[in-house]
Amino acid sequence: MRFSRSLIPTLKETPAEAEVASHRLLLRAGFIRKLTAGIYTYLPLGLAAIRKVENIVREEMNRAGAQELLMPMVQPADLWHETGRYDKYGPELLRFVDRHDRESCLGPTHEEVITDLVRREIRSYRDLPQNLYQIQTKFRDEIRPRFGLMRGREFIMKDAYSFDADDAAANESYRIMFEAYKQIFTRCGLDFRPVEADSGSIGGSFSHEFMVLADTGEDTLVICSSCDYAANSEKAAVAAPKPEDSPLLEIEKVETPGKRKVPVVCEFLGIKPQELVKTMVFDADGEAVAVLVRGDREVQEVKLKNLLGAADVEMLDDKAVFDATGVPIGYLGPVGIKIKLVVDNEVAAMRNFVTGGNEKNYHMKNVNIRRDFEFAEVADLRQITDSDPCPMCGAKLSVKEGIEVGHVFKLGTGYSTAMKAVFQDKDGKDNPVVMGCYGIGVSRIVAAAIEQNHDENGIVFPMPLAPMQVVLLNLGLKDTQITETAEALYKELQGKGVDVLFDDRDERPGSKFKDADLLGIPLRVTVGKSLTKNGVVELRHRIDGVVEEIQPEQVTVRILHLIKTAMINS
Ligand code: ATP
Ligand code: MG
């Protein structure tokens, strides 16, 4: 494509609203523009990068035996009622009524639609297995859309669904998808890890997420230094410690005027945060629930959500805590608390701890579980840390941030039973099909790749995802030899199937160089004064700035070689 005739609105300034590198650079490089919160237009180069991801995904899905189809984005509520998810999915599901008052929703995922298709079309064990996928726009009314393409409300996903006759066959389908995913993310040139994961609102029996390692990731992963255990911290179990055996001391109310935060209370009472227990209050589908964790710990909300069987849990703000408990924030404790109380298993092993006194300006000392307060349940509710041992082998864990780019689920028969998707087995008996589902965040991958590959000058695309493989600069628009050579190279490279952005604009060399760096195109060919002086052009590698001087007639061969190597190595 010719730069002079393309819509590539690069920006010099950093857009104020962008908090992370990929968001900033996608805007600055003119890849995306925001229409409204979490909804973006993909401009030509942005779309070109997305197409690169799609092509890799499509090739590997087809290779793994999956078949592409395309399902509707608008889905009737009736289907979602069959699985109970119309009510359970929560406000991320965008619901609306049409002119005939029929309730519908925009597809955030397609288990219901595909299961409906399969129950109509699959009759016998002979029709199985099947694996069907699509690459399509999804809509999720995310509460906090942010970071550009990372967490949109509208985004592009590849979703695949497998259907098998029995559990063993379904596990094999899962394994094949797992391997295909490793291949996809490797080919994309990403540094990633598969981790054990929570199944979330999709449900099912087990699942793995594929995480791109990056500091800006919204997910926390734990990775064992010794065995191959790796898990999302939402899923990673923390073992209960042995109960302390010190004698129970007499409970005591102490005045702590104005002392509300953990460090302040600890300093005032001369104790460590490990001797204090925090009482945190969450809203679980409209019910206020208190959670006890040690003073230096955090509640893992997904563990809490799973324990309570809630669709959604969210920490209450100060006022809501007061409304629910009658106690001002900072002084809440379990003794005499009026709302449902659940206890982290670490707290259940503690003796003689400090808690809020359930009265302004008071705390309690020597509080003990069972003797001093009732509770609904004890469970593993806290966020794992790198001081916790690996749940598998006990070795040291490291904690890392990651961006979830893919998620594979073994679903089992939950959807097929609810929607009566059955097939006849060899004996003529009806059985529910055994399902799996497999998602990839296609548009998110572009953002994740940029998080992992950028420098102070812009994006540094890995070759397989680069929207253009080569940027060709004409630095002598008024010089016939330079212009003719540049034009000829453009045609030659295009003729060989290379994706070339030809910068034929009437701009200063400096701004052409800046844009080339910003766009992150892996190879830059400059045709300028060196041609008229020494008969050479410059080939520069974006990744390390290394420059090769070569004769124009050798450029295409060299570039084809570099592209081929970059594609195989990734
Ligand atoms: P997350 O935990 O990040 O919200 P999820 O668990 O809801 O993701 P899945 O239902 O597993 O996501 O969807 C499959 C894939 O779609 C995810 O692995 C992710 O890469 C992508 N994805 C999910 N939500 C978004 C979003 N709001 N914007 C962009 N991509 C998304
Ligand atoms: Mg997920």
Side-chain angles (χ1 to χ4, degrees):
M1 67 201 278
R2 283 178 188 271
F3 209 139
S4 61
R5 307 225 192 107
S6 304
L7 183 62
I8 309 175
T10 57
L11 306 171
K12 287 199 182 61
E13 279 83 45
T14 300
E17 81 263 30
E19 297 166 64
V20 299
S22 63
H23 190 191
R24 267 195 308 273
L25 291 170
L26 283 165
L27 288 168
R28 280 196 55 210
F31 282 40
I32 60 168
R33 285 295 179 261
K34 179 165 139 182
L35 179 64
T36 180
I39 302 184
Y40 291 87
T41 296
Y42 310 114
L43 274 62
L45 284 185
L47 185 62
I50 285 173
R51 292 281 185 252
K52 293 281 166 102
V53 177
E54 286 182 0
N55 289 343
I56 293 173
V57 169
R58 195 171 268 124
E59 274 175 32
E60 293 303 326
M61 292 304 290
N62 293 346
R63 202 195 305 270
Q67 314 149 69
E68 186 167 4
L69 48 53
L70 187 57
M71 289 180 269
M73 192 184 177
V74 172
Q75 308 185 5
D78 288 348
L79 275 185
W80 285 70
H81 281 306
E82 287 189 46
T83 56
R85 284 211 295 181
Y86 200 66
D87 301 318
K88 259 199 274 164
Y89 206 92
E92 263 185 38
L93 185 66
L94 186 64
R95 297 148 224 251
F96 57 94
V97 286
D98 65 17
R99 65 167 76 198
H100 303 294
D101 257 353
R102 281 185 294 242
E103 274 196 78
S104 303
C105 58
L106 285 186
T109 177
H110 278 66
E111 284 77 15
E112 281 78 2
V113 175
I114 194 92
T115 308
D116 178 59
L117 178 78
V118 162
R119 73 177 162 186
R120 290 165 196 274
E121 309 305 332
I122 299 282
R123 293 270 161 269
S124 139
Y125 68 94
R126 284 187 215 92
D127 304 327
L128 296 172
Q130 292 281 346
N131 188 329
L132 300 159
Y133 78 96
Q134 62 177 347
I135 298 176
Q136 190 220 29
T137 297
K138 295 278 185 274
F139 193 92
R140 295 183 179 181
D141 204 354
E142 298 273 356
I143 183 167
R144 271 182 288 277
R146 57 179 190 160
F147 300 163
L149 297 190
M150 204 84 92
R151 183 167 298 282
R153 293 198 295 152
E154 194 175 301
F155 59 97
I156 300 174
M157 196 203 285
K158 185 285 301 180
D159 45 328
Y161 305 86
S162 65
F163 301 89
D164 282 282
D166 58 38
D167 221 45
N171 288 346
E172 178 59 9
S173 294
Y174 186 92
R175 192 191 62 76
I176 291 169
M177 280 298 108
F178 190 92
E179 291 305 318
Y181 272 43
K182 285 206 290 200
Q183 185 64 14
I184 287 168
F185 299 122
T186 305
R187 279 190 60 192
C188 286
L190 296 167
D191 180 14
F192 71 96
R193 282 295 291 250
V195 302
E196 291 180 18
D198 180 72
S199 295
S201 61
I202 308 276
S205 35
F206 57 82
S207 81
H208 287 87
E209 287 164 339
F210 288 77
M211 293 285 182
V212 162
L213 303 179
D215 294 341
T216 45
E218 294 183 281
D219 283 274
T220 306
L221 325 175
V222 290
I223 299 173
C224 180
S225 56
S226 171
C227 72
D228 57 11
Y229 181 77
N232 192 314
S233 69
E234 296 172 355
K235 168 84 179 171
V238 184
K242 274 211 212 79
E244 292 172 21
D245 52 9
S246 37
L248 306 193
L249 303 177
E250 202 171 316
I251 193 166
E252 193 186 325
K253 195 165 179 174
V254 289
E255 202 175 349
T256 49
K259 315 289 179 213
R260 300 189 301 132
K261 295 226 175 323
V262 172
V264 180
V265 176
C266 287
E267 200 196 332
F268 185 74
L269 295 177
I271 58 166
K272 295 194 200 83
Q274 291 89 317
E275 299 168 78
L276 181 141
V277 167
K278 292 192 282 197
T279 309
M280 320 278 290
V281 185
F282 292 83
D283 173 282
D285 295 350
E287 186 193 354
V289 178
V291 185
L292 296 187
V293 284
R294 208 172 78 177
D296 58 336
R297 304 298 196 191
E298 296 307 327
V299 175
Q300 171 39 258
E301 293 185 18
V302 172
K303 289 181 179 176
L304 178 65
K305 190 171 118 169
N306 290 344
L307 176 77
L308 300 173
D312 212 15
V313 300
E314 214 174 328
M315 196 151 52
L316 287 182
D317 62 25
D318 295 4
K319 183 176 176 305
V321 171
F322 181 77
D323 291 345
T325 62
V327 179
I329 198 82
Y331 302 103
L332 194 63
V335 182
I337 195 168
K338 293 192 187 70
I339 56 175
K340 179 172 180 172
L341 179 68
V342 294
V343 182
D344 179 51
N345 60 25
E346 187 177 41
V347 171
M350 289 167 68
R351 293 276 179 278
N352 306 318
F353 45 84
V354 169
T355 71
N358 278 335
E359 187 182 332
K360 190 171 179 189
N361 296 336
Y362 283 95
H363 278 75
M364 300 269 201
K365 278 166 85 170
N366 302 326
V367 178
N368 283 284
I369 190 168
R370 293 190 183 85
R371 185 192 72 178
D372 300 326
F373 61 90
E374 304 284 318
F375 54 89
E377 222 161 334
V378 170
D380 169 13
L381 290 172
R382 76 174 165 92
Q383 175 80 16
I384 197 165
T385 69
D386 55 6
S387 63
D388 290 303
C390 167
M392 284 305 170
C393 74
K396 180 142 182 53
L397 289 175
S398 63
V399 174
K400 287 200 166 30
E401 267 65 59
I403 301 165
E404 180 193 326
V405 288
H407 200 162
V408 292
F409 301 78
K410 166 84 183 295
L411 290 176
T413 53
Y415 288 92
S416 50
T417 305
M419 295 185 66
K420 301 191 182 59
V422 296
F423 69 98
Q424 262 188 5
D425 66 15
K426 286 198 177 92
D427 308 319
K429 209 174 122 260
D430 275 352
N431 290 313
V433 288
V434 189
M435 291 172 57
C437 76
Y438 317 93
I440 289 186
V442 171
S443 44
R444 185 182 281 182
I445 284 179
V446 174
I450 296 173
E451 288 300 326
Q452 247 178 17
N453 302 282
H454 67 271
D455 61 19
E456 64 283 4
N457 298 321
I459 306 171
V460 186
F461 269 115
M463 184 65 84
L465 300 191
M468 294 287 137
Q469 297 164 318
V470 175
V471 54
L472 173 66
L473 312 188
N474 177 351
L475 294 192
L477 287 176
K478 297 197 183 79
D479 181 303
T480 332
Q481 191 194 355
I482 291 176
T483 297
E484 275 174 7
T485 306
E487 291 283 343
L489 272 177
Y490 179 47
K491 286 212 183 69
E492 195 178 315
L493 286 165
Q494 273 196 321
K496 293 287 180 190
V498 177
D499 298 323
V500 192
L501 175 64
F502 182 26
D503 195 345
D504 57 346
R505 292 174 303 167
D506 187 9
E507 290 277 349
R508 285 178 302 105
S511 68
K512 290 191 178 187
F513 291 141
K514 276 216 167 65
D515 276 348
D517 275 355
L518 177 61
L519 298 177
I521 299 171
L523 300 171
R524 186 184 87 192
V525 176
T526 307
V527 189
K529 287 212 181 72
S530 316
L531 182 74
T532 38
K533 265 201 220 141
N534 310 318
V536 293
V537 303
E538 252 186 22
L539 170 61
R540 182 174 175 272
H541 297 245
R542 175 69 179 90
I543 194 160
D544 51 13
V546 168
V547 173
E548 306 175 30
E549 293 200 328
I550 45 181
Q551 286 161 353
E553 47 283 10
Q554 284 162 0
V555 168
T556 303
V557 173
R558 178 74 183 135
I559 282 179
L560 288 174
H561 171 75
L562 289 170
I563 291 175
K564 198 166 160 223
T565 325
M567 297 303 218
I568 292 169
N569 288 347
S570 65

